[in-house]
Amino acid sequence: MKKTWWIATTAGTLVLAAVVVLVVRESSDPSGTHPSPSSSEAPVPDRRAILAVKIDNVAAARPQTGLGMADLVYVEPVEGGLTRLLALYRGSPPAVIGPVRSARATDLGLLAQFGRPALAYSGAAPELLPALRSASLTSASPTEIPNAYFRDDSRPSPHNLYLRPQQVPDGEVAPQGAFPTAGAAPGSGTAAATAAIRYPAAAFTFTWSVEFGRYLIGLDGSPLTSVDGGKVGAATIVEQRVAVRLGERGETGTVPNSPIAQTVGTGQATMWRDGQRFAGTWSRTTATAPTRFTTASGQPLPVSDGPLWILLVPA
């Protein structure tokens, strides 16, 4: 919403006029079009319930919209050595988020620790649908709420489906302690202005910016940016080493085996925050228990205030 005010005084008369311009285009069909997702749309009202959105991150999907406002972003391994993002919002989500893509089994394992969040996604492999229906989450795909989605005709399909979060039913507030604990850094760190984390077909880089107080993120040699916010950065980066198994193929037999990251258990972790690197471990005792990070000596390893990116990397 954009407002312009004029104030004029003539012969003791005060004239106040307001011109309000509001441009909103909505489609009741997710195949409908929209000129371009932009930052001109006002944020939706504050809410503390959890909204999780499956976001595309291949070259054709960049730059994304709304990514820089996520509280927590998981990077997941998917087919062909590529990655996909699961972004969690627990405050006021941006007016538009996307591009939105399909769900994976890894999402269900991760989201179980956050109570009953809303999950926005576009489709899933047939064998995953029963698990999605029975999972502890509010399903928010175009099937359930078609009016919440629109397509941007300036981009190729399927990398052009966007979500209007204000039309998504609220999930539940996350249980206390579900998100990693924030706090002061321990004294065991070593200086680390850069970090690189690679998958078979995707390469992430992180560069500490004193100006922004965050690690600026690069993907496949280019800065990661968001349409509505410019450069995307994170206050804390975590490389979480996990076991990965292959899921079943789709019913047609043509869907490649999708990697499923095992996020219950324990393993190695490396954290970058405040321009420092910390070696440690991660642990999660049950599906509904939170993930905890500790130093090599077993002391708590808190994250910094601000956006958190956790990259699930095959051990």
Side-chain angles (χ1 to χ4, degrees), residues 17-54:
V19 176
V20 180
V21 179
L22 171 62
V23 179
V24 176
R25 294 184 58 188
E26 297 189 10
S27 170
S28 60
D29 183 341
S31 64
T33 61
H34 187 281
S36 177
S38 71
S39 59
S40 63
E41 299 181 65
V44 300
D46 181 76
R47 64 182 184 185
R48 303 304 295 176
I50 301 300
L51 170 65
V53 185
K54 201 60 187 288

Side-chain angles (χ1 to χ4, degrees), residues 218-234:
L219 177 55
D220 298 333
S222 299
L224 191 62
T225 61
S226 184
V227 168
D228 53 338
K231 295 178 181 179
V232 176

Side-chain angles (χ1 to χ4, degrees), residues 56-256:
D56 199 356
N57 68 331
V58 297
R62 301 177 226 152
Q64 294 94 340
T65 298
L67 182 59
M69 291 183 66
D71 294 283
L72 170 57
V73 176
Y74 285 102
V75 179
E76 305 174 7
V78 294
E79 305 83 16
L82 294 167
T83 62
R84 195 164 286 177
L85 309 179
L86 179 66
L88 274 62
Y89 302 81
R90 57 175 172 172
S92 293
V96 175
I97 301 173
V100 179
R101 290 300 301 275
S102 56
R104 295 292 188 275
T106 297
D107 304 326
L108 303 185
L110 288 170
L111 293 177
Q113 64 191 309
F114 296 101
R116 189 177 179 85
L119 173 62
Y121 64 99
S122 176
E127 72 275 12
L128 184 59
L129 294 178
L132 277 165
R133 287 191 288 266
S134 62
S136 177
L137 55 82
T138 298
S139 182
S141 74
T143 300
E144 288 89 10
I145 46 172
N147 290 348
Y149 292 85
F150 67 88
R151 289 195 182 274
D152 174 12
D153 59 3
S154 70
R155 293 191 177 209
S157 180
H159 314 288
N160 65 348
L161 183 64
Y162 290 85
L163 172 74
R164 296 187 187 279
Q166 63 268 35
Q167 298 189 32
V168 175
D170 280 350
E172 295 180 0
V173 175
Q176 185 70 31
F179 282 80
T181 303
S188 57
T190 57
T194 61
I197 299 176
R198 292 179 171 83
Y199 296 82
F204 288 83
T205 57
F206 306 93
T207 304
W208 176 251
S209 168
V210 175
E211 177 185 358
F212 291 101
R214 294 180 178 180
Y215 284 92
L216 300 181
I217 303 172
L219 177 55
D220 298 333
S222 299
L224 191 62
T225 61
S226 184
V227 168
D228 53 338
K231 295 178 181 179
V232 176
T236 305
I237 306 295
V238 177
E239 180 186 33
Q240 183 176 340
R241 290 282 176 172
V242 296
V244 173
R245 65 180 178 86
L246 293 180
E248 299 298 323
R249 288 181 180 270
E251 290 180 355
T252 63
T254 60
V255 179

